Amino acid sequence: MGLQRNLAALAWALALGLAAPVSAAPAATYRNPLRVHLANGAPAQNCADPAVVRDARARTPTWYLYCTSDPVSKTERPLPGESGPWHFHMIAIYRSTDLVNWNYVGDAFADRPAGLAAPTSGLWAPEPEYMGGRYYLYFTVTDVADAHSPEAGCANDSAIGVAVADSPAGPWVPAAAPVVAPRRAGPGCDFHWTFDPKVVEDGGRKWIYYGSYGGGVFVQPLRADGLAAAGTPRKVGAAGRYEGAEVVRHGGWWYLFASTTDCCNGPLTGYAVYAGRARTPAGPFLDRLGQDLAAA
């Protein structure tokens, strides 16, 4: 989650650039940060892990933007039962017809999905997809309900959840069980980071990518209904090195983009984006030097 949470400008550029089809006609000019407005017209001050989907049914080209569960304005005070100084949005949703001006639509959820997420869990890195005539919203559950965890009482047993809707604005109905369950890294409450979902389709077959620095990035087939992983997971990004996988198809290749903090030698430090490509969504993804991104 580091790149998405700390380099919002880069994430905006990646999300918007990858989302816009060639036929779209966005505004001729724009200036960052983009104009994102709450319902009262005030500016939204935060949108971590932005992800965009185009409305497949709208006559006018229309896009929807989804953000990690977070406070989005210092002017919004906590609601009854919330802790902290500000109100948390449970995956804020915004709409645009030009990819520049965005207006608040609502939140994907009124609260954390009961029975899936623990009461204090984060809902991170939303991933919207349009598949089979319906919309799917995949998201990280940072702390699943004990019923879905191999170790009760843990706060870091992360998983991937999903909700389904007939419209990109919702209402979203969350699945009762995780798409990808928590994965043990060791005894007790030692779990891999099951973060940052990304879903693609290839010839009718669905694939889900997930993972982060803690354990690496993996790809796994999805069940036909998109509600659960199936088959054997395969590592496509080395542990301790990559997070925030984004996968696109272009020119007969599948390209995996992932962020890393291990980018530079000498005095230069910070995040960078690495890329590898493969002939199939399952990888292996090789960089321009022919090195496998899954190699340590």
Side-chain angles (χ1 to χ4, degrees), residues 2-291:
L3 175 65
Q4 292 86 348
R5 300 187 71 86
N6 297 320
L7 295 185
L10 176 59
W12 273 98
L14 287 174
L16 298 181
L18 292 173
V22 174
S23 60
T29 62
Y30 66 92
R31 178 177 294 178
N32 285 321
L34 298 181
R35 293 178 289 276
V36 183
H37 299 109
L38 300 175
N40 63 3
Q45 297 168 322
N46 181 38
C47 180
D49 307 322
V52 174
V53 68
R54 183 170 178 173
D55 188 341
R57 301 190 182 104
R59 292 184 178 181
T60 300
T62 304
W63 293 266
Y64 286 79
L65 166 68
Y66 305 80
C67 313
T68 275
S69 61
D70 259 335
V72 302
S73 172
K74 293 182 179 179
T75 65
E76 294 186 329
R77 299 306 174 191
L79 299 178
E82 287 186 318
S83 60
W86 302 300
H87 168 54
F88 266 72
H89 285 257
M90 292 294 122
I91 304 184
I93 305 173
Y94 303 87
R95 179 169 48 221
S96 175
T97 56
D98 62 6
L99 290 173
V100 174
N101 297 283
W102 298 87
N103 294 296
Y104 177 71
V105 174
D107 287 1
F109 308 110
D111 201 351
R112 297 160 181 85
L116 174 65
T120 59
S121 174
L123 306 179
W124 290 354
E127 164 64 14
E129 294 289 343
Y130 180 71
M131 300 185 297
R134 304 196 75 188
Y135 292 89
Y136 292 74
L137 184 62
Y138 297 88
F139 53 93
T140 302
V141 180
T142 63
D143 179 11
V144 296
D146 282 348
H148 301 296
S149 177
E151 191 80 25
C154 296
N156 61 339
D157 43 359
S158 57
I160 304 300
V162 68
V164 183
D166 292 321
S167 163
W172 293 97
V173 179
V179 179
V180 181
R183 302 169 299 136
R184 280 197 177 277
C189 290
D190 186 10
F191 288 93
H192 292 304
W193 295 0
T194 306
F195 294 172
D196 301 338
K198 172 63 187 177
V199 172
V200 301
E201 285 190 281
D202 182 32
R205 191 178 189 189
K206 302 177 179 69
W207 300 82
I208 184 168
Y209 299 81
Y210 56 85
S212 190
Y213 300 138
V217 177
F218 288 78
V219 63
Q220 191 170 355
L222 269 179
R223 210 167 60 192
D225 63 6
L227 301 181
T232 303
R234 178 173 181 173
K235 183 180 287 189
V236 293
R241 185 167 175 83
Y242 299 112
E243 69 163 10
E246 178 69 36
V247 181
V248 295
R249 188 174 188 174
H250 179 71
W253 293 90
W254 290 90
Y255 288 82
L256 168 66
F257 300 89
S259 66
T260 178
T261 57
D262 182 19
C263 74
C264 310
N265 296 316
L268 297 177
T269 60
Y271 285 97
V273 176
Y274 278 51
R277 67 180 186 177
R279 285 298 186 184
T280 74
F285 291 90
L286 307 183
D287 67 14
R288 59 182 177 145
L289 301 178
Q291 298 174 337

